[in-house]
């Protein structure tokens, strides 16, 4: 597609798996230059004014933004300030493109939260070097952020991620008056398993249960997490209690199919117990109500002989 045929804000390179670069500039010649420089490595998106730049940022979540300072309407500095005030956008590095060097302006830009400046006329070598450096930092920071949200042993969400998500889902479901469901899953006789088979075998069981728990959910908005030593949780927003049975049946089938021998369990096989709770959240309550109710249900499942779920 020729650049002058592309609609404003349209994706110029459609491959989604590449890192994303957004260029916000009111001069087509600059956009063209940036596009030519980076189109082979990045998905390059464009916006030709500040307002569109903000909307495009929210839509595509770019990995880096090249931002012209002087534009009609929302100028580069104003847009940068808005990006940095937005929880979901503030981690995106912004590089200003500016007409002439002015120390005072640059100091102001860095104070606004920019990571760098590029001067016009755009020098391809300098621009490439700067953008590549900042892109590399951004992608590495993303990896670290993801790792801190994952359980090291099972590679599913950890307790920290679960805590953040239950709060977020609680608020969303309260606003939309939708049911939020929680299932807490605990491995039966896990201490006995570890004592009998050893910790390496125990770790392998934790991985298999994590896989079974994850495979029980089918929607991208649901979350599977490891929330304790042998405890897992499923969070299902917009899910009434009656829809949980299908999830629970899949979970218990997955565990059965794993067919893990457990000589120290009266059942002879590794099993799990689960407690479930569903609620339409109220803003006057907090997430602990939901968690306590699921935990109480789990306790009853254990009391009633394990290898079962209780609402
Ligand atoms: Mg301009």
């Amino acid at each position: 597609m020729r650049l002058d045929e592309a609609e404003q804000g349209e994706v110029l390179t459609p491959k989604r798996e590449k890192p994303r670069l957004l260029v916000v500039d009111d001069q087509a010649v600059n956009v063209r230059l940036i596009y030519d420089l980076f189109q082979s490595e990045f998905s390059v998106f464009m916006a030709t004014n500040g307002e569109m730049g903000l909307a495009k940022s929210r839509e595509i979540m770019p990995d880096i933004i090249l931002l012209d300072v002087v534009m009609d309407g929302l100028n580069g500095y104003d847009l940068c300030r808005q990006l940095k005030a937005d929880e979901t956008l503030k981690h995106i590095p912004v590089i200003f493109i500016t007409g002439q060097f002015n120390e005072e302006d640059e100091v102001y830009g860095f104070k606004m939260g920019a990571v760098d400046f590029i001067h016009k006329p755009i020098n391809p070598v300098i621009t490439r070097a700067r953008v590549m450096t900042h892109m590399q930092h951004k992608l590495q920071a993303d990896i670290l952020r993801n790792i801190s949200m994952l359980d090291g042993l099972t590679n599913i969400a950890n307790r920290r991620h679960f805590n953040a998500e239950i709060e977020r889902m609680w608020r969303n479901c309260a606003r939309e008056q939708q049911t939020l469901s929680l299932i807490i899953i605990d491995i039966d006789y896990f201490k006995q398993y570890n004592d009998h088979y050893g910790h390496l075998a125990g770790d392998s069981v934790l991985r298999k249960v994590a896989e079974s728990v994850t495979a029980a959910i089918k929607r991208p908005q649901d979350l599977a997490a490891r929330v304790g030593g042998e405890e897992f949780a499923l969070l299902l927003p917009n899910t009434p209690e009656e829809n949980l049975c299908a999830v629970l049946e899949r979970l218990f089938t997955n565990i059965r199919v794993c067919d893990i021998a457990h000589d120290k369990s009266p059942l002879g096989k590794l099993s799990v117990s689960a407690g479930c709770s569903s609620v339409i959240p109220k803003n006057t309550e907090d997430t602990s109500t939901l968690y306590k109710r699921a935990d109480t249900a789990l306790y009853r499942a254990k009391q009633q002989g394990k290898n079962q779920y209780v609402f």
Side-chain angles (χ1 to χ4, degrees):
M1 185 193 318
R2 270 167 53 209
L3 182 68
D4 54 3
E5 287 171 351
E7 277 179 36
Q8 292 201 332
E10 191 171 340
V11 54
L12 300 179
T13 46
K15 286 194 186 119
R16 308 288 283 183
E17 69 276 13
K18 291 177 178 176
R20 294 166 181 204
L21 181 151
L22 172 65
V23 50
V24 186
D25 197 311
D26 55 2
Q27 283 172 285
V29 57
N30 292 327
V31 178
R32 170 91 253 175
L33 241 158
I34 302 287
Y35 172 77
D36 286 344
L37 267 177
F38 296 107
Q39 53 93 18
S40 61
E41 291 107 326
F42 304 148
S43 291
V44 181
F45 297 80
M46 69 161 180
T48 49
N49 62 55
E51 289 80 4
M52 194 191 298
L54 185 61
K56 204 69 197 161
S57 299
R58 293 208 166 104
E59 182 195 331
I60 62 160
M61 294 298 279
D63 294 298
I64 204 161
I65 300 172
L66 299 192
L67 183 49
D68 183 24
V69 173
V70 181
M71 293 182 290
D72 286 339
L74 193 64
N75 70 31
Y77 291 139
D78 294 335
L79 173 55
C80 186
R81 193 182 302 111
Q82 291 199 26
L83 291 167
K84 295 303 164 190
D86 187 315
E87 256 332 286
T88 58
L89 303 174
K90 67 179 188 188
H91 64 283
I92 304 170
V94 171
I95 300 177
F96 279 121
I97 307 169
T98 173
Q100 66 245 81
F101 176 73
N102 176 322
E103 192 173 306
E104 218 171 287
D105 280 357
E106 287 207 6
V107 168
Y108 184 72
F110 281 118
K111 278 187 180 163
M112 288 295 101
V115 294
D116 216 340
F117 274 81
I118 292 168
H119 300 119
K120 289 186 222 178
I122 291 171
N123 176 304
V125 177
I126 293 172
T127 302
R128 242 191 110 70
R130 293 204 163 139
V131 169
M132 285 307 189
T133 301
H134 290 293
M135 182 65 95
Q136 210 167 15
H137 287 167
K138 160 65 164 62
L139 298 177
Q140 281 166 354
D142 284 353
I143 291 168
L144 287 179
R145 202 171 19 243
N146 287 339
I147 288 173
S148 73
M149 292 294 188
L150 282 183
D151 173 54
L153 179 70
T154 61
N155 253 341
I156 68 172
N158 62 15
R159 178 92 202 195
R160 186 200 307 204
H161 193 185
F162 171 85
N163 286 342
E165 283 298 285
I166 194 172
E167 294 295 333
R168 190 183 64 79
M169 290 181 190
W170 180 273
R171 283 195 303 272
N172 287 347
C173 286
R175 189 172 58 237
E176 294 164 15
Q177 283 299 288
Q178 290 280 340
T179 307
L180 176 60
S181 287
L182 169 66
I183 303 172
I184 305 179
I185 301 131
D186 191 86
I187 304 175
D188 300 326
Y189 303 105
F190 187 65
K191 187 185 179 306
Q192 288 84 339
Y193 189 93
N194 260 334
D195 290 348
H196 186 61
Y197 295 97
H199 284 281
L200 281 179
D203 285 354
S204 159
V205 160
L206 287 169
R207 286 194 204 96
K208 282 179 185 155
V209 172
E211 278 171 27
S212 299
V213 169
T214 307
I217 49 173
K218 299 286 176 203
R219 306 178 309 173
Q221 65 266 41
D222 299 334
L223 180 80
R226 182 181 178 209
V227 292
E230 70 251 39
E231 202 167 285
F232 297 84
L234 287 173
L235 267 175
L236 304 109
N238 301 8
T239 307
E241 194 173 274
E242 59 267 27
N243 291 5
L244 288 184
C245 284
V247 177
L248 288 157
E249 286 304 326
R250 276 200 296 272
L251 168 65
F252 278 75
T253 303
N254 294 344
I255 299 285
R256 242 191 337 269
V257 167
C258 286
D259 195 31
I260 302 163
H262 189 344
D263 291 342
K264 297 297 167 186
S265 162
L267 303 157
K269 296 281 177 198
L270 189 101
S271 62
V272 299
S273 299
C276 319
S277 169
S278 299
V279 68
I280 298 173
K282 293 193 189 85
N283 279 323
T284 51
E285 291 171 0
D286 65 45
T287 56
S288 64
T289 346
L290 182 67
Y291 201 89
K292 272 183 206 144
R293 283 168 54 184
D295 209 40
T296 306
L298 172 63
Y299 180 77
R300 289 212 338 261
K302 293 279 187 187
Q303 291 297 105
Q304 292 170 14
K306 306 186 171 68
N307 193 28
Q308 59 187 281
Y309 55 85
V310 168
F311 284 91

